[in-house]
Amino acid sequence: MSLDNHSALIEQLKPLMMEPDFQELFERLTVDESNSTRFLLKMELTRISAPCTRIIDLRDKTELPCEEVLIGKQRHFLDKPSKDALEKTLPLYKNQYTLGVYESIINTHKKRKQIKQENGTSEANQQSKPFMVSGIVMGSYFNRSEERMNYSIKISASQAGVPEVIGATLDLSVGGARIKLPLKHQFQIEKPLKVKLLELNEEFYFEDLHQGVNYQIVDIQNKQEHAVFRLKRDGGGEELDKLITQLIRGYKFRYKVDVNDVIVTASGLGFERHYLPFQQHLPLYVSIQENKPKLTHCLLGHGNQGVMYYFQDEKDISQLPGMLTNNRLVNLLKSPSATEHQLLFCFTHHANGKLHFYSATLAELQQSGHLGLFLGFASRKPSWRVFKLNSYKIDHKQNYKTSTLPGDDAHYSALTEQQLASLSHVIQLSDLTNEHCTEQYQSWFKNQDVKLLKSFIQRKLISNSIKRISMPFTERRHESRYAFKTLVKIKQGNTIATGITHDISNRGLQITLDENVNFTSPSAVSISFPRLQAKAGKIDLTSLPYQLIRTRSKGQILHLSALIGHEPHAGVEFLSKLITHNKEKLAQLSDQDGEQIELADGLKNLMMRELNGVPFFIEKTAKSTIDLSAIGIGIKVDTITQLFSQDTDQILQYNLAPIMDNGLYKTQIVDPLKKRKPNAGMTFFEVFIQITHHARGTINLSSKLVSELNSTQQKAFIEQSERLGKFMALRVSFGAADKPDMSYIRRELEYIQVHSSHRAKQLEEQLWRVIGIGELLDITVEAKMRYPQLQPNTTPT
């Protein structure tokens, strides 16, 4: 039962709580109430009369002047209406500051603000609403082997050191439950929760259930008037299984099957399938062999192929394991949060037809004293890259497989389970390079001896050792691409350049030039393959007509497509034969790998357990506006979402106004998004944030678009932020979304359709409204590395 209909009785009892004969008065006033109602009333009165330690400070929450008010030794700052509420409420509690006094003052303040809003006098709050978004839990799949029934049983919930709170079940299964509790609870999500079933019918009364069952809290979602807890049972054994099963069977034909957990998981999976094709981080998987860490697998998608294939040499052999040496892996896995082992700086050198790789961690450069030399010289090379490594240990107690429907097998095949069990860590490799910031890095160089960089050359590997697994998406390209490197000569008018192919397809290719060349795009060019001519026989591979589609990295990376006329195109003819006859040798850059679907899905689930960044989603509403719709939340708390939850009073609500307001969202995201296509991938801009903490516990965020600041202003912003509080830099990436991959959640949608057709339709419509995908990535440490003057004891000489 609910106390909503007994508010008048509670108000009548409040003045009597501190009286000596309260028990007698209580019995008299509640003589017509049931025992359970009396219990709940007494619990509520006990709650609101408990001493309160919360300080009320309205100075930054009201437009009215505030004055200091002392209650005992506690110092509060209240405006006139709140002070009036205090003076009216305190006598009810014998002038003691209790939870009831606190709630009365806060409720008075909120009601006044709400009335003001409804009268249209709070325009600032109205303007911030477009950037207040909900969080969608990603990577946390609630596995359930039994059906759960919808029905309500009155409960009490408690934790060690926290008073009992009265609520109700929303549904119950053998292994878990979903319960509803008041919004103002004091429960902590990481601690076990004891739930007692209070109002069981006589025919279903079980002493063990009445005494309490222990649960783990899976998550908490705040609704308008209450908090909903998803719980997983903790222990209890077979006897408790039988009791709960008997209870459920007794109620089974009176209530509907609950589909809430399936909807929660299907929503996470649906948004995940929007995000993953654009994910730019390369997941790497480590196993411990002979007491040493070894890279064994990587997981490829559309967005992260550039990271993987940066390390392909002239013989298509990946030199990535050469960069992640045993010492670097050991240091990273031992100290996963140490930034000096997370940052890696790289460049390549092309000589005599061979590609040589140079790399160094921040720790190595600091220890060697060559930090300025490496950064300053390497950043002048077109192949300059800055990478970041994020690692975490795999928890093998969790299931690898996402089994969302009742009766699903919670495990993959024995072979797949064995392969996943052999892995120890997940490493995500992120490319933080910003070609617009190379000048800042180049300022590190002071004419030092570049021969000292020889110690950072990677040992050349002669065979591939990482198994490449592709995420199984619906193919979105017209044709597959393959990693392949060979010499190319390209000509446009009188401009001639040479380069190396990055990848090829039947009709197109991507080329990396030896140096920056100012070619016009889109425009026609002619290309030749001098090294392939010997294998081409009678096919002439010189002066082949291609269209230069676009250039990247200041003209160094070219994307080309064959210009096909009435005659057969010699380049298309030869590359088609080359691909057909060498498919087993070439690394396919597509997302289809039927033989590895299970393993790919398992690796994806391991990777999603800890998000590297914060995904966000953009939707086109029924009114044709383009709004932020949601952000993706990982299992672990991260600094970004924690920062944007400061201005919200509900769990899983985030205010992105500090980085999206003042027209930035429209100019930097909405307008460019309208012109982008899904196959264009992601673009990005960077934001500097100044975080200042006030004495009253509030946080103020002030942000600047990096492109609007020159190098001197950027450095000054960082220095000022660290002097006044804290500095943070975010990379905001975004791209145009493709249609949702509904086939991936087809089974979940069919299940939801049977039991709740309107909710299945709502989920489908929500996923189809998504037109843009983005991600917030913390680049604070790398951003500060751009300025030599900001590094302690490393000023270049």
Side-chain angles (χ1 to χ4, degrees):
M1 59 137 270
S2 172
L3 290 178
D4 292 345
N5 298 325
H6 295 75
S7 56
L9 181 57
I10 292 174
E11 292 301 318
Q12 189 179 358
L13 290 167
K14 277 182 182 179
L16 308 175
M17 285 187 301
M18 303 299 183
E19 298 299 329
D21 56 347
F22 171 70
Q23 185 60 39
E24 182 182 341
L25 295 170
F26 178 81
E27 295 291 340
R28 191 189 312 161
L29 291 171
T30 60
V31 67
D32 295 327
E33 304 295 337
S34 66
N35 287 337
S36 58
T37 300
R38 286 182 176 188
F39 174 77
L40 294 179
L41 287 169
K42 191 168 286 188
M43 288 290 294
E44 173 61 11
L45 292 171
T46 301
R47 186 188 70 83
I48 61 178
S49 61
C52 183
T53 59
R54 301 183 188 180
I55 301 297
I56 304 176
D57 188 346
L58 301 180
R59 287 178 292 181
D60 60 342
K61 297 179 177 66
T62 178
E63 78 286 0
L64 300 176
C66 291
E67 62 178 292
E68 183 179 320
V69 178
L70 285 174
I71 308 177
K73 295 182 180 180
Q74 294 175 325
R75 185 172 298 178
H76 306 267
F77 294 89
L78 308 178
D79 59 15
K80 181 67 166 57
S82 300
K83 186 180 179 183
D84 292 342
L86 171 67
E87 294 172 349
K88 180 181 177 182
T89 310
L90 265 180
L92 298 178
Y93 299 87
K94 289 285 183 77
N95 292 322
Q96 296 180 31
Y97 181 52
T98 67
L99 193 58
V101 177
Y102 169 82
E103 290 178 354
S104 176
I105 296 171
I106 295 299
N107 289 336
T108 298
H109 173 70
K110 286 184 175 180
K111 285 179 181 177
R112 189 183 67 81
K113 296 285 286 185
Q114 184 178 0
I115 292 171
K116 188 176 180 182
Q117 271 190 333
E118 290 172 354
N119 292 336
T121 57
S122 184
E123 296 179 4
N125 286 346
Q126 293 293 332
Q127 291 174 355
S128 68
K129 283 185 178 180
F131 307 114
M132 190 76 75
V133 296
S134 299
I136 293 175
V137 179
M138 302 174 74
S140 177
Y141 315 120
F142 193 77
N143 299 318
R144 175 144 49 88
S145 59
E146 70 279 335
E147 283 191 329
R148 181 171 293 191
M149 308 308 295
N150 273 312
Y151 47 82
S152 180
I153 298 174
K154 295 310 159 187
I155 62 163
S156 69
S158 62
Q159 281 181 344
V162 180
E164 281 190 332
V165 175
I166 301 303
T169 62
L170 294 174
D171 53 57
L172 188 70
S173 72
V174 174
R178 197 161 58 98
I179 64 173
K180 179 174 68 174
L181 296 177
L183 271 177
K184 296 177 181 178
H185 59 80
Q186 299 177 34
F187 298 133
Q188 298 180 38
I189 195 168
E190 67 273 9
K191 293 184 178 180
L193 189 74
K194 174 170 280 190
V195 176
K196 298 179 181 179
L197 304 182
L198 301 177
E199 284 191 345
L200 296 174
N201 293 338
E202 290 184 7
E203 56 183 313
F204 302 124
Y205 184 85
F206 304 108
E207 183 65 24
D208 288 351
L209 302 182
H210 187 75
Q211 293 301 318
V213 179
N214 289 325
Y215 289 90
Q216 296 176 12
I217 300 175
V218 178
D219 69 38
I220 305 173
Q221 293 184 349
N222 282 359
K223 305 298 183 181
Q224 290 183 347
E225 300 176 352
H226 53 262
V228 175
F229 287 60
R230 284 203 304 145
L231 308 175
K232 182 178 181 181
R233 209 183 88 205
D234 188 6
E238 294 183 2
E239 287 301 317
L240 190 55
D241 288 352
K242 292 177 182 178
L243 291 180
I244 299 177
T245 300
Q246 191 175 344
L247 175 68
I248 290 174
R249 286 175 179 170
Y251 278 90
K252 183 163 185 176
F253 297 105
R254 309 180 190 187
Y255 299 91
K256 294 192 303 182
V257 173
D258 173 62
V259 295
N260 185 71
D261 282 327
V262 179
I263 290 174
V264 169
T265 304
S267 299
L269 290 171
F271 279 94
E272 174 187 290
R273 302 310 276 188
H274 266 310
Y275 163 69
L276 286 176
F278 291 87
Q279 186 206 226
Q280 297 173 298
H281 322 294
L282 179 66
L284 303 169
Y285 299 84
V286 177
S287 65
I288 305 299
Q289 300 179 10
E290 298 179 351
N291 294 321
K292 293 182 179 181
K294 181 181 179 182
L295 293 179
T296 56
H297 297 77
C298 70
L299 189 62
L300 291 176
H302 286 308
N304 62 17
Q305 292 165 6
V307 177
M308 180 67 191
Y309 292 100
Y310 170 79
F311 295 96
Q312 296 296 108
D313 69 6
E314 73 284 351
K315 295 181 179 179
D316 285 335
I317 296 172
S318 176
Q319 300 299 318
L320 179 56
M323 181 189 79
L324 294 177
T325 62
N326 179 72
N327 285 341
R328 291 173 182 174
L329 283 176
V330 168
N331 287 329
L332 177 68
L333 302 184
K334 187 183 297 183
S335 306
S337 59
T339 55
E340 63 268 24
H341 299 304
Q342 289 181 324
L343 276 185
L344 272 159
F345 306 96
C346 308
F347 69 94
T348 62
H349 177 63
H350 187 254
N352 300 322
K354 294 183 178 181
L355 207 55
H356 303 280
F357 292 78
Y358 291 75
S359 61
T361 65
L362 177 58
E364 291 166 351
L365 293 174
Q366 289 173 337
Q367 292 166 5
S368 67
H370 298 324
L371 179 63
L373 169 61
F374 193 103
L375 300 186
F377 176 78
S379 58
R380 301 185 177 196
K381 306 280 287 185
S383 57
W384 159 252
R385 294 289 186 278
V386 182
F387 292 105
K388 185 180 180 183
L389 300 167
N390 288 86
S391 70
Y392 62 89
K393 190 174 183 178
I394 296 171
D395 180 7
H396 291 287
K397 294 178 182 178
Q398 299 183 46
N399 287 346
Y400 305 123
K401 186 179 180 182
T402 305
S403 53
T404 59
L405 301 182
D408 271 2
D409 186 352
H411 302 283
Y412 295 114
S413 65
L415 178 60
T416 301
E417 291 275 324
Q418 183 181 358
Q419 291 181 82
L420 295 172
S422 69
L423 305 174
S424 64
H425 293 79
V426 178
I427 297 174
Q428 295 210 46
L429 180 62
S430 305
D431 187 352
L432 305 188
T433 314
N434 185 340
E435 62 184 51
H436 300 294
C437 298
T438 54
E439 288 186 8
Q440 285 100 315
Y441 275 107
Q442 288 168 12
S443 65
W444 280 89
F445 189 65
K446 299 298 178 183
N447 298 316
Q448 299 103 315
D449 185 2
V450 296
K451 292 180 181 179
L452 296 173
L453 295 179
K454 287 184 178 180
S455 60
F456 298 106
I457 191 169
Q458 292 181 192
R459 181 176 63 87
K460 201 69 177 285
L461 303 179
I462 60 174
S463 63
N464 287 307
S465 60
I466 301 179
K467 190 171 185 178
R468 300 166 188 170
I469 305 297
S470 294
M471 282 187 270
F473 294 115
T474 303
E475 185 60 38
R476 292 178 172 89
R477 294 192 181 94
H478 295 299
E479 55 186 22
S480 299
R481 298 183 299 134
Y482 297 84
F484 185 77
K485 296 195 175 184
T486 188
L487 184 66
V488 179
K489 289 185 178 180
I490 180 169
K491 181 179 180 182
Q492 185 182 68
N494 295 324
T495 305
I496 301 174
T498 59
I500 295 177
T501 58
H502 177 277
D503 59 65
I504 60 172
S505 66
N506 292 344
R507 300 187 181 208
L509 61 155
Q510 185 182 142
I511 298 173
T512 301
L513 299 180
D514 295 339
E515 56 186 9
N516 295 347
V517 179
N518 188 22
F519 284 120
T520 302
S521 66
S523 186
V525 296
S526 62
I527 66 173
S528 303
F529 298 97
R531 290 185 180 168
L532 294 179
Q533 185 60 65
K535 300 179 181 179
K538 295 181 180 180
I539 300 177
D540 186 6
L541 297 183
T542 61
S543 301
L544 302 173
Y546 276 78
Q547 178 82 355
L548 177 56
I549 304 298
R550 67 180 184 276
T551 65
R552 292 191 295 115
S553 298
K554 296 182 178 179
Q556 191 197 356
I557 298 176
L558 313 180
H559 295 258
L560 302 111
S561 178
L563 279 173
I564 300 176
H566 297 290
E567 300 294 327
H569 192 286
V572 173
E573 181 182 355
F574 177 79
L575 291 179
S576 298
K577 289 181 179 178
L578 178 70
I579 292 170
T580 301
H581 294 142
N582 294 277
K583 273 193 175 181
E584 294 182 359
K585 299 178 183 178
L586 294 172
Q588 184 174 338
L589 306 187
S590 68
D591 295 327
Q592 289 184 339
D593 192 342
E595 297 178 359
Q596 301 290 344
I597 287 179
E598 270 199 350
L599 182 59
D601 197 54
L603 293 176
K604 181 269 297 180
N605 291 342
L606 292 180
M607 178 262 295
M608 289 298 294
R609 289 182 183 179
E610 288 197 23
L611 296 178
N612 207 28
V614 177
F616 64 87
F617 304 91
I618 302 166
E619 67 177 10
K620 190 171 186 179
T621 67
K623 297 180 180 180
S624 295
T625 60
I626 298 177
D627 297 337
L628 287 172
S629 62
I631 65 173
I633 305 301
I635 300 172
K636 289 197 173 181
V637 176
D638 64 272
T639 54
I640 299 176
T641 54
Q642 201 170 28
L643 197 63
F644 295 119
S645 65
Q646 299 296 325
D647 289 341
T648 64
D649 56 3
Q650 292 187 354
I651 294 175
L652 293 183
Q653 286 288 319
Y654 303 89
N655 185 10
L656 300 184
I659 60 169
M660 295 294 182
D661 214 345
N662 299 320
L664 187 144
Y665 174 65
K666 182 179 185 301
T667 58
Q668 298 298 314
I669 294 181
V670 174
D671 291 343
L673 189 63
K674 292 177 181 178
K675 303 173 184 178
R676 294 187 72 83
K677 301 294 182 184
N679 59 5
M682 300 272 265
T683 186
F684 70 87
F685 60 91
E686 294 179 350
V687 176
F688 281 1
I689 304 175
Q690 184 179 108
I691 307 167
T692 52
H693 295 259
H694 296 296
R696 300 186 297 274
T698 57
I699 292 178
N700 183 63
L701 305 179
S702 175
S703 65
K704 287 285 188 181
L705 192 64
V706 176
S707 60
E708 294 180 350
L709 305 174
N710 60 36
S711 183
T712 302
Q713 291 170 329
Q714 291 172 22
K715 185 171 71 69
F717 186 96
I718 297 173
E719 291 174 325
Q720 183 190 54
S721 299
E722 295 193 325
R723 188 170 60 252
L724 298 178
K726 184 180 177 182
F727 167 73
M728 176 180 275
L730 291 181
R731 173 172 292 188
V732 185
S733 305
F734 66 94
D738 210 332
K739 61 183 180 180
D741 188 359
M742 305 305 292
S743 61
Y744 192 75
I745 57 172
R746 175 184 53 80
R747 293 174 61 250
E748 285 81 5
L749 285 174
E750 289 174 352
Y751 181 85
I752 299 168
Q753 178 73 30
V754 171
H755 300 288
S756 182
S757 59
H758 72 284
R759 299 190 73 181
K761 184 178 180 182
Q762 286 175 352
L763 176 56
E764 285 195 72
E765 290 176 347
Q766 186 182 19
L767 293 173
W768 276 103
R769 285 199 300 268
V770 175
I771 63 167
I773 311 296
E775 185 177 55
L776 306 176
L777 186 65
D778 186 348
I779 59 167
T780 306
V781 177
E782 184 276 326
K784 291 167 66 175
M785 289 301 303
R786 301 169 186 174
Y787 311 95
Q789 300 85 350
L790 298 179
Q791 307 307 313
N793 303 321
T794 54
T795 305
T797 57

